[in-house]
Amino acid sequence: MKTPAETAPNQPAAAVGNGLPLQVAVIGAGPSGCYAAQALRKGQPDLEIAVFDSLPTPFGLVRYGIAPDHQGAKAVSRQFERLFGQPGVDFVGNVSVGTDVSFRALLDNFHAVVLATGLGTDRQLGIDQDPDARVVGAGDLIRLLNSDPDSRLRHRQAGPECLGPEVVILGTGNVAADVARLLAKSDLDFIASDVDDDALRAVAPDPVRTIHILGRCEPHAAKWDASMVKELAEVVGVHLSVDGVSLLGGPAVSPRTTVNVRFRQVPVSIRRHDGRVRVTTRHVEGTALVDHLDADTVITALGFDSPPAQPAHVADLEASNVFRVGGPATGRLGNLAENRKLAASAAKCVLEFLRGQEPQQRTGLFGLRDQLPASTVSFEAWQRIDGAEVRRARPDRCRRKFTTRGELLAAAAGSDALASIPTATTAAIDNTGETE
Amino acid sequence: MTVVHVLYGTESGNAEMVADDIVAAFRGQGFETVTAELTDVEVSDLAAMEIAVFVSSTYGEGELPETAAPFYDALMAERPDLTGVRFAAFGLGDSIYETFNNAIETLRRALLELGAEQIGTTAKHDAASTTPATELADAWTRDLLTLMPA
């Protein structure tokens, strides 16, 4: 157990010789980046930290990946708000490292750089798949329902597409359970959430009628938490069965949504069939037992990969003062607790590294002031977005997020006029197909 | 000066934040405070504590968080006599789960069973509520302070 002296703020052992503070840049303001910054400051309170994000908003997956009806889990952002409220910790939003500011510039201005860029894209299935069959990534779908301005589903010319009354979800992790729950819920079930109602209405005008969840594994090996399955089964109007056995008693008289979970199913192909999608599966133990399942949409919930758009010079960079946390370190998404732990141990490595270095002066964010775009979003500017989103919420919702970078930047500037806001990351906007 | 030990077990860091809030509310009230994660606390340290404030979230199916479980297991294995130890309890949970705030109850029951005396009521923050944990921590600590003259 630590004595009071040991838990007291650390001595400035690692400050550089001339008394100037040590400077650390964190790339990515998602949970891993924020946890890393938090642990760095706990370990070395006089350290100065700049947390960069290519989005105008902080908190990454907490804002766009945790399901919008799980506001309790999203409350972790309060910790991060406190972090950014401290002097010496800056949020540098709407700045894309590698585009707006070079990675080299960060290495020149900071003593250490922490990569926390997350895992961006839904893992592909890697089976025989008709490119025209309607297959949607669970991560993309949850981002859409969380109002992520970069969600690929948002940027179809005709807007988000209706998923149809019958869907197949591939995967039996918590993300699969999230998707099933979000699609099975009625409007009333979203009270106090910040679900993107317009997007939800577009993809599921009514709660989806039939949801098939297919997993390759044995039931006991499913990655989801039992509490998540229970939560799904407890949605009013939902009847859930696992391998044909009803969960929570017998089937309701007329369930609004039926959810059928089937294990030991290996997907073999996804083809278009009569304007719908046909998923062919085989039983895990044999090649002979082949099954077909027709639905309107297939949703893959199979984990996440590094975004291919990540600049190679960042992804492949190996310098002694570059550290990785979260997805870039593990290649897995992980939950908050796990990433907090990993971020804490990475922070320990960063602090050890800094203590072992010859003191060199670095100017941190101040040294970048001439390179940052005019539309950089500070934490204070984010708080204006935050306030505006809460104020414009429906009475039965906790927040209504802005859904485009233009709107976010206008709110950041404290203005409702969208046109006057310069867009710094044109490349990023072009990628999403947004044309304003 | 009376020393108050604020001991937390956390998964996502929210209990640590509450521990910081509680320490802040104690500031200037005539107590010395020590904050520690339960992983850094030995069961044998407990008997010597004048006042211990336990803060714990609930994890998974009502379990203790990973950073509190080893402490609890050691407590149950060693079963020290905690007569004379006074403690307070603050839990964090999410009422969408049936096992809402189960972990702080588990800890509390163990401490009572071993002879410790609880001060005040057990706080049970609900993440699904609109009250920030910080607000509850602040109000709860103020109530607690009225029960423990410095």
Side-chain angles (χ1 to χ4, degrees):
Chain A
M1 160 118 217
K2 290 178 187 130
T3 65
E6 280 170 323
T7 56
N10 289 21
Q11 303 80 356
V16 287
N18 51 17
L20 289 168
L22 284 160
Q23 302 286 347
V24 177
V26 177
I27 307 177
S32 284
C34 289
Y35 277 136
Q38 190 184 52
L40 284 164
R41 286 281 291 201
K42 283 238 171 186
Q44 182 78 34
D46 60 351
L47 198 76
E48 295 197 345
I49 303 176
V51 186
F52 294 80
D53 206 291
S54 58
L55 278 161
T57 53
F59 316 145
L61 228 69
V62 171
R63 182 172 157 94
Y64 292 126
I66 292 177
D69 59 341
H70 277 178
Q71 291 296 316
K74 284 181 188 269
V76 73
S77 60
R78 289 189 202 280
Q79 286 179 50
F80 307 147
E81 281 163 7
R82 180 172 296 187
L83 168 78
F84 287 114
Q86 298 171 20
V89 183
D90 285 292
F91 172 62
V92 191
N94 200 37
V95 173
S96 195
V97 174
T99 310
D100 299 319
V101 172
S102 73
F103 196 73
R104 185 76 247 165
L106 291 198
L107 289 175
D108 289 343
N109 283 278
F110 294 86
H111 293 94
V113 176
V114 179
L115 295 182
T117 45
L119 294 172
T121 53
D122 285 286
R123 186 163 297 151
Q124 300 293 307
L125 197 51
I127 58 164
D128 173 23
Q129 188 176 321
D130 189 335
D132 294 329
R134 194 194 285 150
V135 180
V136 167
D140 273 338
L141 184 61
I142 291 175
R143 282 167 185 269
L144 175 77
L145 299 178
N146 261 321
S147 308
D148 185 337
D150 296 343
S151 163
R152 287 188 297 189
L153 299 176
R154 184 180 301 284
H155 293 286
R156 284 166 21 90
Q157 206 140 31
E161 193 174 14
C162 179
L163 299 171
E166 187 168 12
V167 304
V168 172
I169 300 174
L170 299 176
T172 51
N174 284 340
V175 173
D178 275 336
V179 168
R181 188 185 68 254
L182 291 168
L183 296 180
K185 278 191 166 184
S186 70
D187 188 78
L188 280 173
D189 298 316
F190 285 101
I191 285 174
S193 79
D194 62 358
V195 71
D196 184 333
D197 284 295
D198 296 335
L200 180 63
R201 219 168 299 134
V203 296
D206 297 302
V208 171
R209 208 170 53 217
T210 310
I211 300 172
H212 306 276
I213 303 180
L214 303 182
R216 300 173 70 111
C217 61
E218 298 288 325
H220 67 265
K223 289 212 174 89
W224 52 31
D225 296 326
S227 54
M228 291 283 286
V229 180
K230 201 147 175 279
E231 191 189 347
L232 172 61
E234 282 170 354
V235 174
V236 174
V238 166
H239 174 249
L240 187 145
S241 68
V242 178
D243 285 331
V245 179
S246 288
L247 214 74
L248 302 183
V253 181
S254 53
R256 187 186 61 220
T257 299
T258 59
V259 182
N260 305 308
V261 186
R262 282 198 289 153
F263 288 101
R264 305 178 198 89
Q265 299 290 319
V266 182
V268 176
S269 68
I270 298 177
R271 313 228 57 92
R272 267 180 75 89
H273 184 77
D274 284 347
R276 299 176 84 209
V277 191
R278 168 162 288 183
V279 182
T280 303
T281 59
R282 65 170 172 81
H283 194 270
V284 74
E285 273 156 16
T287 47
L289 295 163
V290 170
D291 209 353
H292 297 298
L293 195 55
D294 291 340
D296 299 292
T297 304
V298 171
I299 299 167
T300 56
L302 304 161
F304 297 86
D305 285 323
S306 297
Q310 193 171 44
H313 63 277
V314 174
D316 300 335
L317 203 112
E318 290 299 341
S320 63
N321 60 339
V322 176
F323 299 83
R324 286 171 166 75
V325 292
T330 60
R332 305 188 313 102
L333 195 62
N335 60 23
L336 287 175
E338 183 184 347
N339 282 304
R340 176 177 176 271
K341 216 159 51 181
L342 292 169
S345 76
K348 210 173 271 179
C349 294
V350 174
L351 292 174
E352 260 165 42
F353 164 82
L354 292 173
R355 290 191 178 111
Q357 287 308 105
E358 283 293 308
Q360 260 183 320
Q361 195 187 324
R362 294 275 197 272
T363 48
L365 195 56
F366 184 76
L368 291 179
R369 68 196 181 286
D370 298 332
Q371 299 175 48
L372 292 177
S375 59
T376 299
V377 177
S378 66
F379 191 68
E380 201 190 5
W382 148 248
Q383 287 175 313
R384 283 194 287 274
I385 300 175
D386 186 27
E389 287 185 341
V390 171
R391 277 194 304 276
R392 70 189 208 123
R394 253 167 69 169
D396 58 347
R397 301 287 186 262
C398 68
R399 167 190 300 274
R400 187 172 155 226
K401 289 178 190 164
F402 297 109
T403 55
T404 66
R405 285 172 178 258
E407 287 177 315
L408 286 164
L409 292 175
S415 143
D416 292 330
L418 304 185
S420 63
I421 304 303
T423 41
T425 49
T426 27
I429 288 171
D430 287 345
N431 284 345
T432 64
E434 192 179 341
T435 50
E436 64 177 277
Chain B
M1 200 184 276
T2 308
V3 181
V4 175
H5 287 82
V6 182
L7 313 174
Y8 64 89
T10 189
E11 289 276 337
S12 69
N14 289 340
E16 183 178 12
M17 182 174 69
V18 162
D20 290 342
D21 293 331
I22 291 170
V23 166
F26 266 105
R27 199 163 293 142
Q29 302 294 320
F31 295 91
E32 188 179 345
T33 53
V34 179
T35 317
E37 189 152 14
L38 277 167
T39 43
D40 297 328
V41 181
E42 300 289 339
V43 165
S44 54
D45 295 334
L46 204 55
M49 293 182 192
E50 293 163 280
I51 294 170
V53 179
F54 284 84
V55 185
S56 178
S57 58
T58 293
Y59 173 63
E61 315 301 321
E63 290 116 69
L64 289 156
E66 198 181 311
T67 61
F71 174 84
Y72 173 79
D73 293 344
L75 194 67
M76 290 290 88
E78 294 172 33
R79 305 191 68 82
D81 179 7
L82 298 181
T83 310
V85 174
R86 303 172 77 204
F87 75 96
F90 190 112
L92 294 94
D94 191 326
S95 61
I96 64 173
Y97 302 109
E98 195 170 278
T99 55
F100 172 63
N101 259 305
N102 195 52
I104 196 68
E105 270 305 312
T106 304
L107 269 173
R108 197 180 78 89
R109 257 184 255 120
L111 292 164
L112 289 172
E113 197 184 310
L114 297 171
E117 179 202 342
Q118 185 174 7
I119 322 166
T121 54
T122 308
K124 291 182 179 176
H125 183 257
D126 180 4
S129 75
T130 49
T131 311
T134 293
E135 227 167 82
L136 181 64
D138 196 58
W140 176 83
T141 311
R142 274 170 215 293
D143 284 348
L144 192 64
L145 279 161
T146 64
L147 302 173
M148 37 188 289

